[in-house]
Amino acid sequence: MIGYVTIGTNDLDQAIAFYDALLASIGIQRLWHHGDMAAWGPSRAETALCLARPFDGLNASAGNGVLVGFKVDNAKHVDVLHSKAVALGGKNEGDPGSRGEHGVYAGYFRDLDGNKLNAYVPAAIRLQRVS
């Protein structure tokens, strides 16, 4: 249902370098970059993450309560994304691990602009692989 999510940045070049390195660590490449926007995803036919300088010219800020989740195939990818984000200058917002009783494995972090993100493996995927 969701085609793309856009988060703001105040330094597009720095943010592009962050997301290029972060998402390449799990095989996701930038789809495009033009003007004040860039996008990453598995393909142009699937959901994408977009970065943009705010259209209104004001400073970008991280939304309180906003979180973008990267659904990945396994716990190793959660660990890789989380550690890569922190190594690139992002902030740890919760070490990778199991969350609650519903079986999700997730790690939380913030990018260089303070946007909150996580990498997670849904319980259904984890349970299918264990069975």
Side-chain angles (χ1 to χ4, degrees):
M1 180 172 92
I2 296 173
Y4 64 92
V5 173
T6 300
I7 55 177
T9 182
N10 292 306
D11 187 332
L12 188 62
D13 293 334
Q14 183 179 4
I16 286 172
F18 178 89
Y19 282 99
D20 278 349
L22 177 67
L23 296 175
S25 71
I26 60 164
I28 302 293
Q29 302 299 315
R30 186 174 352 130
L31 297 172
W32 51 264
H33 170 212
H34 60 85
D36 288 338
M37 292 188 75
W40 292 259
S43 75
R44 288 180 179 247
E46 297 183 55
T47 305
L49 172 71
C50 296
L51 281 175
R53 289 187 184 106
F55 181 74
D56 64 9
L58 300 176
N59 283 335
S61 62
N64 187 24
V66 174
L67 178 136
V68 174
F70 295 115
K71 183 171 69 172
V72 297
D73 292 332
N74 55 61
K76 180 179 178 182
H77 282 168
V78 171
D79 297 344
V80 166
L81 277 176
H82 185 273
S83 65
K84 186 69 170 183
V86 172
L88 291 167
K91 180 181 174 192
N92 179 9
E93 286 283 318
D95 291 332
S98 294
R99 298 292 193 268
E101 298 177 7
H102 42 79
V104 170
Y105 185 87
Y108 296 82
F109 51 94
R110 290 190 185 268
D111 70 7
L112 304 177
D113 285 290
N115 294 299
K116 190 168 184 181
L117 308 140
N118 84 350
Y120 74 100
V121 180
I125 292 174
R126 290 186 73 212
L127 295 174
Q128 287 172 1
R129 299 216 168 122
V130 172
S131 302

